[in-house]
């Protein structure tokens, strides 16, 4: 038998099958869902089951700061990939789902999407709303215990849309994209969230494991749209036989992609610090107890008795992609990739001058969670190190240094240190130079997980803790 894990990422969907007895990877597939929308692109979900999947809804956005996606297109892609794996490998004994956190969408009374998915990258929470102040600033003033709030967080987006009168008239509840997928697979009409996903929206009491309903209502947030929250990880239901997916397959409640990646990547929860460098970048460190956080750190639920301290860099791995684009434009060649050239020049610079001679680059090009107006910096430029390789190495170090500073704060808050470092995400997996720099900056040996699809694997592993799945 096997178990299926599904990861609904910002740009792609990964699905894996793990052998129930050995935990070994039997099959995997990753596909881009190409679901981003903008003011010039209107998405119409067209499918042969249009009535069932609410295909006539059109999603648009009118502001350049918006980062929205078509949830129906994501759902249809997930269903197609599940069908393919079942056709080739048989029916799994359970399905675990994870996906991008913070974002939200609205559903109607029948459980159909009536809005786009407002992703974690959505910037409308930083737009002036009242007296030149943003949703984030207003909520932080109005809430007694605001915790971590940033643009792209579900509560912030919901508040903004409410003030602007942009919540769809037929919306009754809000949910995350992965909880939406679970709801649809199980034929539910109303979403349910786990505490890890719920906490990612902001305005959540981790000790009570529930939203700060009274505070949110007093701050002007319409709490009637908040879904029910399950305080322990559990099954959400069973598949209902949609398309060619057999009925009766148990489906677990969705978990956050950060928690799933941690569970899928580390051997011992409490000994490792995990860094992930992809589109963004994160550092995660487990804690057996509740600890108040500060600055850019968040405390997130993980397992039923474990928390994760998490630091997220808004630019992260994207900084490396920005640098590659910069080199292409400077060379006047917009078609050819420069990643191989960047890597070669970085290696040559380190070999000749050493990594410590590189430029000092602060890669906060998109700001930070606590200060979205902060910007990056470049220094330590001299005649002796005025080379492209020095800039490339500096960007690599800058991405890692931001994560290391957050880990240092985590270590101070928990009173413990990690025994080893685990690295995930394509930005790190495909860059041995960055791997070496990570070991030097953190002062720890680095391990790379066997399987690349850490979040999808973590969602499948998590099924082992659920009643009825052994």
């Amino acid at each position: 038998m096997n178990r299926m894990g599904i990861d609904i990422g910002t740009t792609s969907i990964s699905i894996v099958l793990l052998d129930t007895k050995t935990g070994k990877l039997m099959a995997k597939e990753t596909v881009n869902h190409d679901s981003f929308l903008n003011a010039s692109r209107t998405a119409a979900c067209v499918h042969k089951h249009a009535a069932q999947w609410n295909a006539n809804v059109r999603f648009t956005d009118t502001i350049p700061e918006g980062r929205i996606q078509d949830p129906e297109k994501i759902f249809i892609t997930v269903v197609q990939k599940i069908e393919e794996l079942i056709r080739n490998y048989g029916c799994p004994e359970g399905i675990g789902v994870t996906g991008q956190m913070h974002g939200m969408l609205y559903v109607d009374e029948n459980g159909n999407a009536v809005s786009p998915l407002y992703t974690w990258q959505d910037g409308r929470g930083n737009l002036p709303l009242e007296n030149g102040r943003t949703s984030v600033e207003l909520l932080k003033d109005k809430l007694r215990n605001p915790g971590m709030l940033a643009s792209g967080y579900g509560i912030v987006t919901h508040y903004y849309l409410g003030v602007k009168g942009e919540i769809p008239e037929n919306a009754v509840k809000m949910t995350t994209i992965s909880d939406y997928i679970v709801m649809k697979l199980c034929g539910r009409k109303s979403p349910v969230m786990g505490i890890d996903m719920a906490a990612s929206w902001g305005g959540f009491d981790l000790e009570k494991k529930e939203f700060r309903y009274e505070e949110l209502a007093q701050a002007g947030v319409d709490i009637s749209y908040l879904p029910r929250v399950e305080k322990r990880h559990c099954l959400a239901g069973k598949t209902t036989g949609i398309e060619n997916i057999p009925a009766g397959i148990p489906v677990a409640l969705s978990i956050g992609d950060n928690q799933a990646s941690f569970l899928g990547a580390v051997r011992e929860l409490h000994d490792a610090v995990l860094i992930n460098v992809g589109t963004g970048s994160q550092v995660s460190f487990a804690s057996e107890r509740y600890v108040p956080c500060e600055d850019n750190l968040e405390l997130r639920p993980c397992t039923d008795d474990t928390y994760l301290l998490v630091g997220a860099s808004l630019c992260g791995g994207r900084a490396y992609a920005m640098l590659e684009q910069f080199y292409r434009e400077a060379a006047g060649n917009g078609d050819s990739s420069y990643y191989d050239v960047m890597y070669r020049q970085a290696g040559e610079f380190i070999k000749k001058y050493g990594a410590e001679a590189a430029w000092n680059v602060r890669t906060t090009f998109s700001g930070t969670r606590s200060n979205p107006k902060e910007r990056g910096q470049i220094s330590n430029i001299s005649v002796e190190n005025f080379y492209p390789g020095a800039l490339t190495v500096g960007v690599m170090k800058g991405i890692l240094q931001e994560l290391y500073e957050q880990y240092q704060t985590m270590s101070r808050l928990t009173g413990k240190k990690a025994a080893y470092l685990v690295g995930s995400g394509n930005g790190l997996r495909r860059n041995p130079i960055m791997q070496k720099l990570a070991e030097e900056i953190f002062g720890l040996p680095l391990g790379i997980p066997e399987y690349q699809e850490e979040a999808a694997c973590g969602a499948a592993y998590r099924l082992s803790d659920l009643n009825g799945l052994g």
Side-chain angles (χ1 to χ4, degrees), residues 320 323-324 327 338-347 392:
Y320 199 66
L323 182 62
E324 191 269 344
Y327 285 143
Y338 271 64
Y339 284 113
D340 289 343
V341 176
M342 290 166 61
Y343 186 83
R344 175 177 54 79
Q345 291 177 339
T392 302

Side-chain angles (χ1 to χ4, degrees), residues 105-387:
L105 65 124
Y106 294 102
V107 298
D108 63 16
E109 61 182 5
N110 294 313
N112 292 315
V114 292
S115 79
L117 165 64
Y118 299 91
T119 72
W120 63 276
Q121 296 175 323
D122 193 78
R124 71 195 70 222
N126 288 329
L127 295 177
L129 194 61
E130 296 178 7
N131 300 319
R133 310 197 72 204
T134 69
S135 301
V136 174
E137 293 170 335
L138 290 167
L139 285 174
K140 285 185 176 180
D141 281 350
K142 293 179 179 181
L143 295 173
R144 294 192 303 273
N145 299 289
M148 177 61 75
L149 284 175
S151 186
Y153 280 39
I155 291 295
V156 173
T157 304
H158 177 52
Y159 178 75
Y160 175 93
L161 295 171
V163 172
K164 299 288 286 186
E166 296 178 5
I167 298 175
E169 291 184 3
N170 52 346
V172 296
K173 291 293 179 182
M174 49 193 283
T175 187
T176 67
I177 183 60
S178 52
D179 290 305
Y180 179 67
I181 299 300
V182 168
M183 179 181 69
K184 300 291 282 186
L185 289 175
C186 297
R188 303 178 66 109
K189 293 185 177 181
S190 184
V192 180
M193 297 180 75
I195 59 172
D196 49 353
M197 279 297 194
S200 78
W201 276 354
F204 196 83
D205 189 324
L206 284 179
E207 293 185 281
K208 293 183 178 180
K209 297 182 178 180
E210 62 183 27
F211 285 106
R212 299 184 184 276
Y213 295 105
E214 183 177 348
E215 286 186 47
L216 289 170
Q218 291 176 352
V221 177
D222 191 335
I223 61 174
S224 68
Y225 291 92
L226 296 176
R228 179 166 64 87
V229 176
E230 281 286 350
K231 296 188 176 183
R232 299 186 71 84
H233 195 61
C234 60
L235 292 177
K238 296 183 179 181
T239 55
T240 56
I242 190 171
E243 283 295 280
N244 295 316
I245 301 175
I249 304 173
V251 182
L253 205 64
S254 165
I255 62 174
D257 57 353
N258 172 225
Q259 290 88 339
S261 292
F262 196 82
L263 295 172
V266 306
R267 297 188 304 273
E268 299 293 337
L269 293 185
H270 299 285
D271 291 336
V273 55
L274 171 69
I275 58 173
N276 180 291
V277 181
T279 304
S281 61
Q282 290 179 323
V283 56
S284 305
F285 193 44
S287 173
E288 295 170 295
R289 61 185 177 86
Y290 174 88
V291 291
C293 285
E294 56 188 49
D295 298 329
N296 294 313
L297 299 184
E298 289 184 68
L299 187 69
R300 297 176 178 175
C302 185
T303 65
D304 291 336
D305 55 2
T306 302
Y307 295 96
L308 280 186
L309 285 153
V310 181
S313 302
L314 297 185
C315 200
R318 183 184 173 197
Y320 199 66
M322 289 168 56
L323 182 62
E324 191 269 344
Q325 181 180 353
F326 175 83
Y327 285 143
R328 276 191 285 121
E329 291 185 5
N333 189 348
D335 297 326
S336 299
S337 170
Y338 271 64
Y339 284 113
D340 289 343
V341 176
M342 290 166 61
Y343 186 83
R344 175 177 54 79
Q345 291 177 339
E348 290 172 351
F349 180 85
I350 291 175
K351 184 177 181 180
K352 188 172 183 179
Y353 300 101
E356 64 280 0
W359 298 6
N360 293 332
V361 183
R362 185 75 175 166
T363 55
T364 52
F365 304 132
S366 300
T368 65
R369 292 289 190 197
S370 61
N371 183 9
K373 295 181 180 180
E374 183 176 338
R375 290 296 176 261
Q377 299 178 6
I378 300 177
S379 62
N380 193 41
I381 305 172
S382 68
V383 173
E384 289 77 16
N385 72 352
F386 200 77
Y387 298 102

